[in-house]
């Protein structure tokens, strides 16, 4: 599990959204160039001046701690379902989809998964459409203000993610509005993860807080954590721990971005090792396109000698495969199409 701490300069680029968000001339193509280099060489980048208020981020970390301090029976009442919404207990997942490591042991964490807060009478909820269920919320009397705070954070982080889409288009040599329709109602998942203290004698060989893996979706937005533990795998196979930059987000591209760009953008493996005596919390925000958007190979990512590696597929098709590999609660039904894998 060895990894080394590293400086910003030799690991992860830092992208400043300030000039772009304030409309400075030339800021968008310059930012697109920086993002392209980051996604093609590292797969991770820091973002500063992103627009998500610091106090809202801090509040959300506090809400994660509040939720996970609830009695176990209250959390278990919200058991995660086929839409990947709800509470997943400690050791509730084993990461089997990794391209870089054979993971055989359950992950040492528990988590609450929340998505866009659809009303119970929303047509997709009523129809039971996969990954479009209603959120499972804890009892308001037990944790007052939780739902309001989480929805405020999701709205702010969604706006941050959407602000990056013209930058991704610029990075890929596409019109700045190219992704507008594909992300008109994007899918997202907030994972509120708790890594409890675990003694060395209780950690088995080849067991991690989260085992080496790549993320499933388009991109993941992760606000800085007070406790270290995250490590990323460089292209030369070495593991490094990105430094903390106060007030920043660490953003990485996932497998859907890798597939959509025909492997032009990296989906970089990462892992979490937690050996502290303190509780550790993380609130990654997984951001994806519309649920039924047909993701054909992007036109600037294929040529005659570099044909598309994958058939056109949707978020749902890929998530059915990914989920069934890693989570016991996601099993494709006989009438559900599943993506072709790497």
């Amino acid at each position: 599990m060895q990894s080394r701490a590293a400086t910003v300069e030799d690991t992860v680029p830092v992208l400043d959204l300030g000039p772009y968000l304030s409309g400075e001339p030339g800021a968008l193509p310059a930012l697109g160039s920086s993002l392209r280099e980051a996604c093609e060489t590292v797969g991770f980048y820091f973002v500063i001046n992103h627009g998500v208020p610091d106090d809202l981020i801090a509040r959300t970390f506090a809400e994660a701690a509040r939720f996970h301090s609830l009695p176990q029976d209250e959390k278990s009442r919200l058991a995660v379902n086929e839409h990947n919404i709800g509470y997943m207990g400690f050791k509730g997942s084993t990461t089997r989809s990794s391209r870089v490591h054979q993971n055989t042991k359950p992950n040492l964490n528990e988590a609450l998964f929340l998505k866009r807060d659809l009303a119970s009478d929303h047509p997709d909820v009523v129809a039971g459409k996969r990954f479009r269920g209603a959120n499972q919320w804890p009892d308001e009397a037990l944790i007052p203000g939780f739902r309001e705070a989480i929805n405020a954070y999701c709205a702010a982080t969604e706006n941050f993610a959407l602000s990056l889409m013209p930058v991704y288009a610029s990075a890929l040599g596409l019109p700045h509005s190219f992704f507008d329709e594909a992300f008109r109602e994007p899918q997202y998942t907030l994972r509120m993860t708790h890594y409890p203290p675990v003694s060395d004698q209780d950690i088995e060989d080849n067991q991690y807080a989260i085992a080496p893996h790549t993320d499933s979706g388009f991109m993941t937005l992760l606000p800085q954590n007070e406790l270290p533990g995250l490590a990323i795998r460089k292209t030369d196979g070495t593991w490094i721990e990105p430094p903390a930059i106060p007030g920043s987000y660490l953003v990485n591209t996932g497998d859907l971005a890798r597939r959509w760009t025909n492997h032009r953008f990296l989906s970089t493996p990462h892992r979490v090792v937690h050996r502290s005596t303190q509780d550790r919390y993380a609130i990654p925000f997984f951001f994806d396109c519309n649920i039924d958007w047909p993701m054909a190979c992007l036109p600037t990512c294929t040529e005659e000698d570099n044909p598309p590696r994958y058939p056109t597929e949707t978020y749902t098709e890929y998530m059915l495969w990914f989920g069934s590999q890693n989570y016991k609660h996601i099993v494709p039904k006989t009438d559900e199409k599943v993506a072709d894998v790497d």
Side-chain angles (χ1 to χ4, degrees), residues 178 259-262 293-299 308 310-314:
F178 183 87
R259 295 162 74 90
W260 208 351
T261 63
N262 212 26
W293 187 261
M295 288 178 287
C297 179
L298 295 172
Y310 306 100
T312 300
E313 64 198 10
T314 66

Side-chain angles (χ1 to χ4, degrees), residues 13 43 50 93 127 153 169 180 211 256 273 293 309 312 324 334 338:
H50 43 71
S93 68
Y153 178 76
D180 287 0
L256 283 184
V273 175
W293 187 261
R309 290 172 167 83
T312 300
S324 65
T334 55
V338 180

Side-chain angles (χ1 to χ4, degrees), residues 4-236:
R4 67 175 180 84
T7 63
V8 173
E9 288 75 13
D10 71 359
T11 58
V12 182
V14 180
L15 276 59
D16 183 354
L17 260 61
Y20 158 61
L21 293 179
S22 65
E24 287 189 16
L28 176 54
L31 191 60
S33 178
S34 296
L35 187 144
R36 178 176 60 252
E37 182 177 2
C39 291
E40 291 182 348
T41 61
V42 181
F44 275 78
Y45 57 91
F46 286 106
V47 175
I48 59 174
N49 295 319
H50 43 71
V52 182
D54 290 343
D55 59 349
L56 185 56
I57 297 171
R59 170 75 185 275
T60 307
F61 272 112
E63 295 298 335
R66 277 214 303 163
F67 173 80
H68 286 294
S69 69
L70 290 174
Q72 186 61 47
D73 61 342
E74 288 294 332
K75 294 187 288 186
S76 298
R77 185 176 59 82
L78 308 176
V80 67
N81 58 28
E82 65 177 2
H83 304 295
N84 201 34
I85 295 172
Y87 170 73
M88 182 184 71
F90 188 66
K91 296 185 179 181
S93 68
T94 302
T95 306
R96 296 188 176 91
S97 61
S98 177
R99 298 192 303 269
V100 299
H101 190 81
Q102 186 173 359
N103 302 315
T104 58
K105 303 292 174 61
N107 295 310
L108 300 174
N109 68 74
E110 59 179 336
L112 177 67
F113 297 89
L114 297 163
K115 297 186 183 291
R116 188 180 300 280
D117 199 15
L118 302 178
S120 58
D121 61 352
H122 188 285
D124 289 349
V125 175
V126 173
K129 189 172 183 177
R130 185 64 79 110
F131 306 123
R132 293 283 287 176
N135 281 326
Q136 300 191 74
W137 296 102
D139 189 335
E140 173 72 13
L142 293 175
I143 186 167
F146 179 81
R147 183 174 186 172
E148 179 183 6
I150 297 310
N151 281 336
Y153 178 76
C154 286
T157 312
E158 180 185 21
N159 286 337
F160 164 33
L162 286 170
S163 75
L164 289 173
M165 297 319 302
V167 187
Y168 273 88
S170 177
L172 291 162
L174 297 165
H176 297 162
S177 61
F178 183 87
F179 290 112
D180 287 0
E181 286 301 317
F183 288 85
R184 184 159 298 281
E185 189 182 25
Q187 285 289 107
Y188 64 71
T189 303
L190 175 66
R191 174 177 174 145
M192 308 184 78
T193 307
H194 174 218
Y195 304 98
V198 180
S199 62
D200 285 347
Q201 58 264 33
D202 291 330
I203 301 177
E204 302 177 31
D205 289 341
N206 197 36
Q207 190 166 41
Y208 298 81
I210 290 186
H213 68 287
T214 53
D215 290 344
S216 62
F218 186 85
M219 68 173 160
T220 305
L221 302 97
L222 182 70
Q224 290 294 281
N225 199 301
E226 292 182 356
L227 291 176
L230 175 69
I232 67 175
R233 186 178 185 269
K234 297 180 70 175
T235 54
D236 64 6

Side-chain angles (χ1 to χ4, degrees), residues 236-251:
D236 64 6
T238 59
W239 288 91
I240 56 171
E241 298 176 9
I245 300 178
S248 71
Y249 272 78
L250 186 60
V251 181

